[in-house]
Amino acid sequence: MGFLTPARRALLGRRAAVSSGVLGVLCVLAELCFLLPDLLVTRDALPVYRANLDLFRGVLLVSLIATFVLGMASLFLLRSKLHGLLGIALAGIALLMGGHEAQPLGVEGAPVAAGIDYLVLELLLLGLIFVPLERMFPLKPARIFRAGWQTDLKHFFVSHAGVQLLSLASMLPAQALFARFVHLDFQQAVAAQPYWLQFLEILLVIDFTTYWVHRAFHKLPWLWNFHAIHHSSRELDWLAGSRIHLLDAFVTRAAGFTPVFVFGFAQPALFAYVAFVSLHAVYIHSNTRWRLPLLRWIIATPEYHHWHHTSDEEGLDKNFAVVFPLYDRLFGTLHLPDYWPRRYGTVNFQPPESWLGQLVHPFRRRVVTPYG
Ligand SMILES: [Zn+2]
Ligand SMILES: [Zn+2]
């Protein structure tokens, strides 16, 4: 590769090494899911995996080969061999665990499954969609491994690995408070509507609730301490949206789930909501430049949510809705000019960069200034 400058060679080598490492970790986690499905795999998704076993084994095989090839490429490109060897070692461990033909060990009777499958598939799928998209249509100069990406990846791992526990915990307040007051006939009528209508209603109901919770997180200083973690990224991309304090995620989900529980929407509509919002929440943080005329007034786009993340004066405390700009228009907080914001992040202070530092930061912080 004599045609590559040393700097370019080092950059490509680092990219290959990091991609191999991240993919290697996902392969090992996927092997664990194959070996211990009862313990680690989302209960509701198990039948889907069993029915499409060949497909998921094929994905695992391709990922194993990619981990190995990327690791080898980084050995070739980088002077330091450590990182490339790490990816190759992870691919080796995954192979020893059974490769794409791993046989389940069958541990039954676990009360809650960890949902590792969700983490692995979601990261793989989102990476495959958004890494190329941000490179082809970047808003700002694209850097896959920008400052803070490792912290955001840790946030992603923790919130997705704990997704079932977090979801179960988020449902507890609604169940404890409203279980006795629910009128069954009313709930049956709601659940009997067409699924597409329920899907829309869920979006409207959750977005209304989370609008006010989100606004409270900005306006009450002790809540802002937690939510500031989400706003601390100085660069936005698809991974930056994962930076959320666990308490922030829990309170927001619990508040969103409460009306959904009271109304009694049907499960398929709820699943459609979860699938939509998982993709949409990542998209609105992404470093992509499509402005989407007309549509941008109906549904939140990257431009809309980037204004929520800005540290430019004109955009502070605007665009609290996650899905429908309608709510910001109704409650007087809409801000959508014909240009993009210049800067992102918190004003006056910067939370720590490490994942653990961000987790404990709100509990330690006493002095609070507006937006700071
Ligand atoms: Zn916010
Ligand atoms: Zn955000």
Side-chain angles (χ1 to χ4, degrees), residues 29-84:
L29 290 176
E31 295 290 348
L32 281 170
C33 289
F34 272 96
L35 292 173
L36 304 165
D38 301 310
L39 217 55
L40 302 180
V41 175
T42 315
R43 292 279 155 79
D44 295 327
L46 256 178
V48 181
Y49 297 131
R50 293 212 167 104
N52 301 284
L53 203 54
D54 286 343
L55 170 70
F56 289 103
R57 288 193 154 151
V59 172
L60 180 55
L61 183 62
V62 171
S63 307
L64 275 168
I65 294 170
T67 307
F68 184 75
V69 170
L70 286 165
M72 289 300 283
S74 88
L75 286 187
F76 188 65
L77 290 164
L78 278 186
R79 202 169 298 158
S80 153
K81 307 294 177 203
L82 191 68
H83 292 94

Side-chain angles (χ1 to χ4, degrees), residues 214 227 230-231 236 240-241 244 281 284-285 305 308-309:
H214 190 181
H227 188 58
H230 181 61
H231 281 267
L236 286 184
I244 296 180
I284 57 175
H285 290 95
H305 196 64
H308 179 67
H309 274 266

Side-chain angles (χ1 to χ4, degrees), residues 3-45:
F3 54 89
L4 286 176
T5 62
R8 181 94 190 128
R9 196 182 163 104
L11 180 73
L12 285 177
R14 276 201 304 277
R15 277 188 194 160
V18 174
S19 310
S20 171
V22 172
L23 211 51
V25 170
L26 292 187
C27 284
V28 171
L29 290 176
E31 295 290 348
L32 281 170
C33 289
F34 272 96
L35 292 173
L36 304 165
D38 301 310
L39 217 55
L40 302 180
V41 175
T42 315
R43 292 279 155 79
D44 295 327

Side-chain angles (χ1 to χ4, degrees), residues 186-210 255-274 276-277 323-324 326-327:
F186 165 69
Q187 288 190 325
Q188 276 172 356
V190 169
Q193 300 172 99
Y195 289 147
W196 65 265
L197 189 59
Q198 291 188 57
F199 169 74
L200 263 182
E201 290 166 353
I202 293 172
L203 279 176
L204 280 164
V205 164
I206 292 188
D207 215 36
F208 174 80
T209 320
T210 49
F257 182 75
T258 303
V260 168
F261 176 80
V262 172
F263 281 111
F265 290 104
Q267 282 251 309
L270 263 177
F271 285 146
Y273 164 78
V274 171
F276 170 80
V277 91
V323 179
F324 297 116
L326 169 78
Y327 287 129

Side-chain angles (χ1 to χ4, degrees), residues 84-137:
L85 282 175
L86 183 70
I88 293 173
L90 286 166
I93 292 170
L95 270 177
L96 286 175
M97 291 167 78
H100 66 294
E101 289 183 329
Q103 293 301 321
L105 298 175
V107 181
E108 281 178 31
V112 180
I116 301 295
D117 55 317
Y118 180 60
L119 186 171
V120 173
L121 290 174
E122 179 110 331
L123 189 59
L124 198 64
L125 192 71
L126 293 174
L128 283 175
I129 295 173
F130 285 102
V131 171
L133 214 59
E134 290 187 343
R135 287 197 72 75
M136 284 189 281
F137 311 100

Side-chain angles (χ1 to χ4, degrees), residues 228-249:
I229 303 298
H230 181 61
H231 281 267
S232 67
S233 294
R234 305 236 164 250
E235 290 176 74
L236 286 184
D237 64 12
W238 67 282
L239 202 54
S242 299
R243 181 180 291 204
I244 296 180
H245 194 281
L246 281 175
L247 188 125
D248 185 349

